[in-house]
Amino acid sequence: MTDGGGLEIRELECFLALSEELHFGRAAERLYVSQSRVSQLLRALERRIGGQLVERTSRRVRLTPLGERFLADLRPAYAALHGSVRAARAAARGVPGRLRLGFLGNADERVLGGINAFRDRYPRCEVDTVEIPLADPFGAVRGGAVDAAVVLLPVAEPDLVLGPSFSRQRQTVAVPVRHPFAGRASVLVEELADCPLIGPAGPAPRYWREFMAPTLTPGGRPVPRGPEVRTLQEGLTAVAADRGVMLCCAPTARYHGRSDVVFVPVEGLPASTLGLVWRRSHETEGVRAFSRALAEGVVTVEGVAVERTAEERATREGTTADRVTAEGTTAEGTAGEGVAVVPAGPDRAFDRGAAGPARALARDAAGPAAP
């Protein structure tokens, strides 16, 4: 590789290595060439420049004053050259630009950790975070307002790809401060039959709303319907006004602590799990890269581990296995595949075996607190 004046990049690399090692043998090992080749490249560079860059004796190697000045000018230029190559390579893969990421509830450290890992790997790609309404978890992705979104599972949308899932969390129930549950350490899931349960309004699909606000307990007791809300804040305000109670995952409860609402753990409820989704017809390199960044990182937040890769998960659980993504939803996949999550039927929201497996929908499977 040469420039317009015939300058060899290899000669520059040789000089840089020699200036750091100050030893022809070590420089040769670093460049995977012979010691005589290092001498040859250095002499060629000195001929191009017209002066001696390195002084070599039987006892030591050192840069000449000209070599010192040349090194000071060369280092930033060489770094800039490599930066340009990396930027061009990233541009060819479509990663530079802007990635719009939707989230439900709040973008807490679990999701921000994934965003930071992505930014470290692809510094030329800006990430914009966009809150999406509780009542329409998939609309922003479908409409193109965001490129991908972190949503609460289950997901059973044929036009969407489900990437990595993570952050399995215990559920709590938000109650007004004077509610009988407010002073309890926990409540049983069957006790929800005694309270109007606030849930998301449409256009969220029925199966998803059923997970957020089930209509039956595991024992078959009907759960009274409370108000339907469009946002998490609207739901918590309805709780504070004593219009009902609302299910939230534990991180959301911690983030949205307020004096007029108490969050009580619920025993017997399926855990909530987050997943990354995007449009099947709009799977950009940026989306795939962010999916990999989420799937490859291991983040432990307050004792909750995010799974690292499908391969490592397969090592722990077997290469092909049914796994419960959220209680009442089952997915099947081979290591490295993405999986579609099929929810239990609306009347069996708490039944862990209610749904059958679904085959892989995504090429890559490798977090906001879910409401």
Side-chain angles (χ1 to χ4, degrees):
M1 177 179 176
T2 65
D3 71 357
L7 183 64
E8 291 282 346
I9 295 297
R10 193 62 168 165
E11 294 172 3
L12 301 180
E13 292 173 340
C14 174
F15 173 73
L16 288 169
L18 191 55
S19 69
E20 293 178 8
E21 299 294 343
L22 295 178
H23 190 283
F24 277 74
R26 289 195 297 269
E29 291 177 1
R30 179 166 161 181
L31 296 171
Y32 299 100
V33 298
S34 66
Q35 188 168 327
S36 61
R37 179 59 176 162
V38 172
S39 298
Q40 181 185 17
L41 289 169
L42 176 63
R43 286 196 301 269
L45 179 60
E46 289 177 329
R47 283 196 301 269
R48 293 180 196 280
I49 290 176
Q52 187 178 6
L53 300 174
V54 176
E55 181 181 305
R56 179 182 185 181
T57 70
S58 60
R59 307 184 70 176
R60 66 177 180 177
V61 175
R62 67 178 182 182
L63 298 182
T64 66
L66 177 61
E68 294 282 2
R69 290 195 298 270
F70 181 57
L71 178 63
D73 292 336
L74 177 60
R75 272 180 172 157
Y78 186 78
L81 175 62
H82 270 269
S84 297
V85 172
R86 286 193 299 269
R89 185 182 297 121
R93 296 200 306 244
V95 174
R98 192 171 298 275
L99 178 70
R100 298 162 301 166
L101 180 67
F103 64 90
L104 282 172
N106 63 280
D108 68 3
E109 57 265 44
R110 293 168 297 159
V111 174
L112 292 177
I115 292 174
N116 289 336
F118 175 80
R119 283 175 170 159
D120 289 343
R121 190 175 300 180
Y122 303 102
R124 291 173 60 84
C125 185
E126 293 293 329
V127 180
D128 294 335
T129 52
V130 180
E131 184 174 3
I132 55 181
L134 181 66
D136 193 12
F138 311 123
V141 177
R142 283 201 175 99
V146 298
D147 301 304
V150 177
V151 300
L152 181 72
L153 272 58
V155 175
E157 306 299 306
D159 59 328
L160 301 183
V161 174
L162 174 63
S165 57
F166 60 101
S167 191
R168 189 175 176 86
Q169 298 285 342
R170 186 179 191 183
Q171 293 207 60
T172 70
V173 61
V175 301
V177 70
R178 292 187 176 85
H179 193 278
F181 291 169
R184 302 264 298 273
S186 64
V187 299
L188 299 176
V189 63
E190 293 295 328
E191 295 179 274
L192 295 179
D194 301 326
C195 311
L197 193 57
I198 298 168
R206 183 184 175 194
Y207 72 84
W208 196 84
R209 286 183 284 149
E210 179 68 24
F211 184 86
M212 295 291 295
T215 54
L216 293 174
T217 68
R221 300 177 64 193
V223 179
R225 286 287 188 186
E228 292 188 340
V229 297
R230 293 195 55 80
T231 68
L232 178 60
Q233 286 301 326
E234 188 178 316
L236 293 177
T237 300
V239 170
D242 202 15
R243 299 189 60 201
V245 302
M246 184 177 183
L247 295 177
C248 303
C249 72
T252 296
R254 290 191 292 268
Y255 184 85
H256 292 279
R258 45 190 291 173
S259 60
D260 51 0
V261 173
V262 177
F263 297 88
V264 185
V266 181
E267 303 290 344
L269 262 182
S272 68
T273 306
L274 298 175
L276 182 71
V277 298
W278 61 87
R279 276 185 295 162
R280 188 177 303 281
S281 61
H282 189 67
E283 186 173 294
T284 66
E285 179 59 30
V287 168
R288 288 192 291 268
F290 184 76
S291 175
R292 289 192 295 268
L294 270 183
E296 290 171 5
V298 173
V299 181
T300 301
V301 180
E302 297 178 359
V304 179
V306 179
E307 291 183 342
R308 186 180 183 104
T309 63
E311 183 177 351
E312 289 176 351
R313 186 169 62 244
T315 299
R316 292 193 300 270
E317 303 179 44
T319 50
T320 304
D322 283 355
R323 61 184 175 87
V324 175
T325 308
E327 305 284 357
T329 65
T330 307
E332 177 184 308
T334 301
E337 295 180 327
V339 292
V341 179
V342 180
D347 295 331
R348 303 178 67 189
F350 296 111
D351 186 349
R352 298 181 63 165
R359 293 303 302 165
L361 290 182
R363 288 182 303 174
D364 292 318

